[in-house]
């Protein structure tokens, strides 16, 4: 029996620093059938040079800078796999991530989405910050309802829709809330299979205040929808 | 026991909150639990943001809604206790505050509905990773366990 193809979509904007490591973590996956699609979101650094190293092992797409949601959507449209996974250009996968997720899909045919736990880690330059948060919950494994951990049946995106390109920070949370509302069947693996790098230019860090406001609006919209569909609730 | 001269303050570092279309939406960034408060609750939240005393909040509720003082007092006390319990606010000890201007007397009082803190824990996991922006730099951030300090 052949394993289904998994399309790995990596949006990148000015990701020269960590992109290579991110892609290596895809190429070292133990799962056998992958295609790698990198969507360059109008980078102005040497992202293209990093991509060139990988040659035809990756499919490289380019768009003018429109944000990660639009980049993921472009990658999705180009994907040929029956399953789709996403990785950000600064994060890493455990070598067995996709293998363990695909094992879930094999044993649970009803499953639509599979996510994993995430471990944050700090770049060496931010050691002081890492020390400061040593005992904080963000240094412990967290349930990762975010795109970097997601492996999903392609059909789910027909049902739930694409990522909302109007959102700059909350597109991932918005998508998961919509998926939950649609009744998508989700599995959260207890193991840490995704590593999120905290560095000086994390998108969420740069726009912390905007991100909070956007989140509140997403939650408000989600509540409004919920009440509309359940008048008593 | 909360006194009517107590002031509360939102725990801004780990709570994101905003009144949107007359409804107060709050997210505890530490655990992804979120909350909503409609009408009277939204008014109370705005006054908490303005560091008003509980007594002043009761007075504002009474002036805006058809409600007895006793009922308004009881409801404000109960809601304030719930907000404290959920770690969304802390007792404001000192320092400067800016008031929300709610002095303009309403034309007439409107029907009252007891304020309610609606709690949504079901999406906790879904919101647990992304929003908590460990506020490095301009968004100082603390573990809820440190809240007592």
């Amino acid at each position: 029996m052949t394993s289904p193809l998994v399309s790995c979509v990596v949006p990148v904007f000015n990701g020269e620093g960590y992109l290579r490591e991110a892609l290596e973590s895809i190429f070292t996956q133990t799962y056998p059938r992958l295609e790698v699609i990198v969507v360059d979101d109008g980078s102005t650094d040497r992202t293209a040079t990093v991509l060139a190293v990988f040659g035809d092992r990756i499919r490289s797409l380019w768009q003018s800078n429109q944000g990660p949601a639009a980049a993921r959507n472009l990658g999705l449209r180009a994907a040929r796999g029956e399953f789709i996974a996403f990785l950000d250009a600064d994060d890493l996968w455990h070598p067995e991530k996709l293998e363990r997720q695909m094992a879930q899909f094999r044993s649970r045919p009803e499953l639509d989405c599979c996510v994993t736990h995430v471990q944050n880690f700090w770049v060496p330059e931010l050691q002081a910050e890492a020390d400061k948060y040593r005992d904080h919950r963000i240094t412990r494994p967290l349930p990762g309802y975010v795109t970097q951990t997601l492996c999903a049946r392609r059909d789910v995106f027909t049902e739930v829709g694409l990522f909302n390109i109007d959102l700059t920070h909350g597109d991932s949370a918005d998508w998961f809330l919509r998926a939950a509302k649609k009744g998508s069947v989700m599995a959260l693996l207890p193991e840490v299979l995704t590593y999120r790098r905290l560095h000086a230019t994390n998108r969420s860090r740069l726009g912390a205040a905007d991100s909070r406001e956007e989140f509140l609006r997403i939650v408000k919209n989600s509540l409004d929808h919920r009440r509309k569909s359940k008048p008593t609730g | 026991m909360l006194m009517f001269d107590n002031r509360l303050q939102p725990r801004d570092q780990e709570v994101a909150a905003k009144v949107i279309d007359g409804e107060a939406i709050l997210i505890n960034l530490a655990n992804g639990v979120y909350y909503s408060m409609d009408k009277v609750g939204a008014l109370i939240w705005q006054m908490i943001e303005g560091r008003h005393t509980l007594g002043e909040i009761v007075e504002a509720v009474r002036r805006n809604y058809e409600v007895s003082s006793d009922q308004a007092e009881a409801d404000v006390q109960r809601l304030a206790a719930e907000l404290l319990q959920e770690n969304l606010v802390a007792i404001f000890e000192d320092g400067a505050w800016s008031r929300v201007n709610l002095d303009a007397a309403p034309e007439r009082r409107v029907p009252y509905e007891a304020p309610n803190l609606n709690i949504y824990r079901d999406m906790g996991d879904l919101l647990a990773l992304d929003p908590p922006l460990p506020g490095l730099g301009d968004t100082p951030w603390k573990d809820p366990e440190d809240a007592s300090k």
Side-chain angles (χ1 to χ4, degrees), chain A residues 27-228:
Chain A
F27 286 115
T28 48
Q29 289 294 302
T30 53
Y31 186 79
R33 283 197 73 211
L34 303 176
E35 69 166 353
V36 181
I37 300 171
V38 179
V39 184
D40 184 349
D41 185 27
S43 296
T44 53
D45 68 351
R46 286 173 301 143
T47 288
T49 315
V50 177
L51 292 178
V53 172
F54 290 89
D56 59 6
R57 290 203 288 163
I58 55 177
R59 289 171 64 198
S60 202
L61 306 174
W62 186 91
Q63 65 176 21
S64 59
N65 184 237
Q66 293 165 56
R72 281 186 202 104
N73 290 344
L74 181 61
L76 251 173
R77 282 191 286 261
R80 303 183 189 120
E82 191 185 329
F83 290 84
I84 312 280
F86 299 93
L87 178 62
D88 285 353
D90 43 6
D91 296 339
L92 300 170
W93 282 346
H94 182 284
E96 292 176 17
K97 175 186 180 281
L98 292 179
E99 186 183 341
R100 295 196 205 182
Q101 287 183 302
M102 293 306 290
Q104 287 288 310
F105 283 108
R106 244 191 332 273
S107 61
R108 296 181 56 190
E110 79 284 6
L111 201 59
D112 294 309
C113 303
C114 180
V115 294
T116 78
H117 274 68
V118 173
Q119 176 70 58
N120 287 317
F121 70 102
W122 275 266
V123 294
E125 298 89 314
L126 294 181
Q127 188 54 46
E129 187 176 292
D131 291 343
K132 186 169 151 201
Y133 288 97
R134 181 162 296 153
D135 300 319
H136 195 278
R137 67 174 201 97
I138 64 165
T139 64
R140 300 193 280 269
L142 295 165
Y145 288 91
V146 286
T147 53
Q148 299 97 299
T149 76
L150 176 65
C151 183
R153 276 182 208 286
R154 191 200 173 96
D155 298 349
V156 172
F157 294 94
T158 316
E159 178 77 6
V160 177
L162 297 174
F163 297 97
N164 184 345
I165 59 169
D166 296 330
L167 301 173
T168 335
H169 302 281
D171 55 304
S172 174
D174 170 75
W175 190 87
F176 278 100
L177 286 171
R178 281 191 281 134
K181 208 162 54 202
K182 286 272 182 188
S184 299
V185 182
M186 290 193 206
L188 169 66
L189 297 186
E191 313 95 283
V192 170
L193 297 174
T194 305
Y195 304 89
R196 182 167 70 162
R197 190 188 314 255
L198 297 179
H199 51 86
T201 50
N202 287 113
R203 197 177 174 82
S204 53
R205 183 189 304 252
L206 299 177
D210 290 348
S211 157
R212 281 183 170 214
E213 167 121 17
E214 199 172 275
F215 246 84
L216 289 162
R217 290 196 177 276
I218 290 168
V219 166
K220 164 77 173 159
N221 286 344
S222 171
L223 274 177
D224 287 347
H225 278 287
R226 204 198 281 209
R227 286 181 292 227
K228 236 182 275 168

Side-chain angles (χ1 to χ4, degrees), chain B residues 14 31 34 37 48 58-59 69 76-77 98 123 128-129 133:
Chain B
E14 53 278 334
N31 56 18
Y34 62 98
M37 291 187 285
I48 287 174
V58 169
E59 180 55 22
S69 294
V76 168
Q77 279 270 7
S98 60
M123 296 292 177
L129 180 65
L133 303 156

